[in-house]
Structures are given as structure tokens and as C-alpha cells.
Amino acid sequence: MLVASNLVKSYKRNAHVVKVLQGVDLDIQEGEFLSIVGASGSGKSTLLHLLGTLDRPDAGTVSLDRKRIDTLGARERDRLRNSTFGFIFQFYHLLPELTALGNVMMPAMVGHSMFNWWGSRQEARKRATEMLERVGLGHRLNHKPRELSGGEMQRTAIARALVSKPRILFADEPTGNLDAESGEEIVKLLRGMNREQDVTILMVTHNLELVRHSDRVVRMAGGKLEMGFKFAGSGSKLVEKLELAGST
Ligand code: ADP
Ligand code: MG
């Protein structure tokens, strides 16, 4: 469904150039839950940004359903990010002055004309409430982010990302700021959503304990993606293999 081909990306810092991606190929299947691991600074976020059209490659292509998306104009990329893609991040990026419900209603309210504001507001409220209930926050609808735990904030961010029924969810270190137990709960929730909502998930993580909940894991190293391992119910063995390969 989503295919990256020979992606190259560098950043200029002062006089010198940092080569981050040096020919990355990746083929993401519809419905798959894929994990990307790799050392800090290896280019995992950079890759996610290119795949999600948040940034453009210097060379190479990104295609969705065999159509190139890296060359789309700003408006079309905005539309893609609002309808087809969802994003969650390590630090949640919730709006502090809105409640959990308000945060989850936000994407649906953006882009509606005043004319049908009221009708769409009711509909958005209903859908946001259902989504928050689904992620286990039915009792936290009117809490603001500062009144929520880290795990609850990430659940809110997941509800916000999925309320518009995207086809692909990009998750950049979604458990990076959580304790082991809440982190595991979040990944299990993502796995549940992947199966229930048929949402394809691309998760960047440091935590090798968590990748066993996904279908496949690939590793960023030396500016390239190394061959992946497929999980077929024997996740822990493969995690050992990855550890031997010197990941994170
Ligand atoms: P990861 O997510 O694997 O930790 P990143 O993709 O964030 O890695 O970063 C890869 C490398 O690119 C790092 O060396 C980082 O410092 C550098 N980098 C990332 N974004 C920028 C930027 N906007 N400008 C300059 N350098 C950057
Ligand atoms: Mg990163």
C-alpha cells in the first residue's frame, strides 16, 4: 500500500551535511503493524516524516496505492494528512486548554463551514465520545491533559488520531515517555485498533519488548533499513535475534 523507494535525505548543519537516509526501501502492506527500531539518531523519525508527507526526500519516491505522494503540493498533502494518515508522538501534542473530548473533536471541527457548524459539532461530539470510550477513557471526557496520566494522554492522542478513520497511523516512540506497564498497555491498544479498525500501523520504538506485539520489525542502521523479521507467534525468539544484531 505504502512504498518507499531509494529514499535519500540529508540535513545541512552549518558548513557540513549530515547524511541521514542513504537509500531506504520499504514496502508496507495494508493492514500490517510494522515496527521500526534503531539507535537514537539513526533516522527513524526522518523516515516517518517522509512517509507521512511531513517532509520531502532529496531523492527517491514515496507512493500510496502506486501513486506518488512525495511530489504532491502543499494542499494535497494537507488533505492526505487529515484524511488518510494519523499521527501520534512521544509527547502527545494535546492542546492544554481543551478537555480530552475537545482534543478528540478538534480534527472533525477543523474545515467545517459555520453554516453546518452545529450539526457537525453534534456528530463530532458523538464520534469523539465513542472513540474515547473505546480507548478506555469514557470516565475522563472532561479532564484536561494536565489532569491525565501519561498513558491517558497517549490514549487521548490515539483517539484523536483515529477518530477520522485514517488508513495509516504513524506512531513515533509512542511509549517513549511512559513506564513499562503503561507502554505495554498502549501497544496492546494499538494492536487492538489495528485489528478492529483495519488501520495499518507504523511504529517507531526503542523498546524491543514491545515489538513482539507487531507483525514485523525492521531496523534502521547506516542510513538504510535492514531486512526485517516477521513475527508468527514466536516473537520472543526474534527479539533475542535482534538484540544479538545489536539494536538500540
Ligand atoms: P531518530 O528518530 O532515529 O532518533 P532522527 O531522524 O530524528 O533520528 O535524526 C537523524 C539525524 O538527523 C540526527 O543526527 C539528527 O540530529 C539529524 N536531524 C534530524 N532532523 C534535523 C533537522 N531538522 N535539522 C538538522 N538535523 C536534523
Ligand atoms: Mg526520533
Side-chain angles (χ1 to χ4, degrees):
M1 171 175 51
L2 188 65
V3 178
S5 183
N6 206 16
L7 289 180
V8 175
K9 182 76 180 176
S10 303
Y11 294 108
K12 275 203 195 75
R13 202 183 283 147
N14 305 323
H16 70 278
V17 174
V18 186
K19 290 184 180 172
V20 182
L21 306 184
Q22 303 186 64
V24 168
D25 294 307
L26 181 62
D27 193 336
I28 301 154
Q29 307 293 310
E30 182 131 42
E32 164 169 58
F33 184 168
L34 174 68
S35 297
I36 301 176
V37 299
S40 177
S42 61
K44 304 180 298 296
S45 296
T46 300
L47 175 61
L48 226 60
H49 293 164
L50 298 185
L51 295 171
T53 71
L54 292 162
D55 199 0
R56 283 202 164 115
D58 300 333
T61 63
V62 182
S63 304
L64 177 69
D65 303 329
R66 295 176 210 277
K67 284 186 217 92
R68 277 186 74 170
I69 57 171
D70 57 290
T71 47
L72 293 175
R75 270 186 57 192
E76 286 165 302
R77 291 195 293 169
D78 280 349
R79 196 178 318 140
L80 200 61
R81 289 198 300 268
N82 290 331
S83 60
T84 309
F85 297 161
F87 296 89
I88 58 171
F89 304 95
Q90 179 173 357
F91 295 108
Y92 327 120
H93 297 327
L94 299 172
L95 294 172
E97 62 291 0
L98 294 184
T99 62
L101 184 61
N103 269 283
V104 179
M105 284 173 66
M106 216 31 208
M109 300 312 295
V110 173
H112 274 287
S113 69
M114 282 307 282
F115 182 68
N116 57 16
W117 171 261
W118 184 250
S120 55
R121 192 178 164 78
Q122 294 310 305
E123 178 58 28
R125 176 180 291 273
K126 182 166 165 278
R127 294 217 323 259
T129 304
E130 285 167 2
M131 191 53 79
L132 280 163
E133 283 166 354
R134 170 59 191 90
V135 301
L137 291 181
H139 60 309
R140 293 281 186 270
L141 299 181
N142 296 312
H143 284 57
K144 297 208 169 147
R146 66 167 176 278
E147 301 160 344
L148 298 171
S149 70
E152 288 171 337
M153 283 193 268
Q154 195 58 291
R155 283 166 191 275
T156 305
I158 291 169
R160 178 182 57 184
L162 295 182
V163 73
S164 50
K165 299 263 186 284
R167 288 174 63 199
I168 307 176
L169 177 70
F170 296 96
D172 195 352
E173 309 263 11
T175 67
N177 205 36
L178 301 175
D179 60 69
E181 198 180 328
S182 333
E184 175 117 20
E185 289 301 315
I186 288 297
V187 176
K188 283 185 185 162
L189 173 64
L190 290 176
R191 179 46 134 179
M193 296 311 233
N194 163 245
R195 289 188 165 139
E196 269 170 46
Q197 298 210 352
D198 285 329
V199 61
T200 301
I201 299 182
L202 214 73
M203 175 177 77
V204 164
T205 182
H206 256 83
N207 190 338
L208 291 178
E209 281 296 309
L210 297 177
V211 301
R212 68 194 150 87
H213 295 292
S214 59
D215 295 314
R216 183 161 68 110
V217 55
V218 292
R219 185 164 76 113
M220 265 312 279
K224 300 203 177 208
L225 269 186
E226 292 179 347
M227 185 206 66
F229 300 100
K230 245 197 154 86
F231 292 149
S234 57
S236 46
K237 271 224 180 72
L238 293 168
V239 168
E240 277 167 30
K241 227 167 161 181
L242 265 172
E243 274 164 355
L244 289 176
S247 204
T248 77

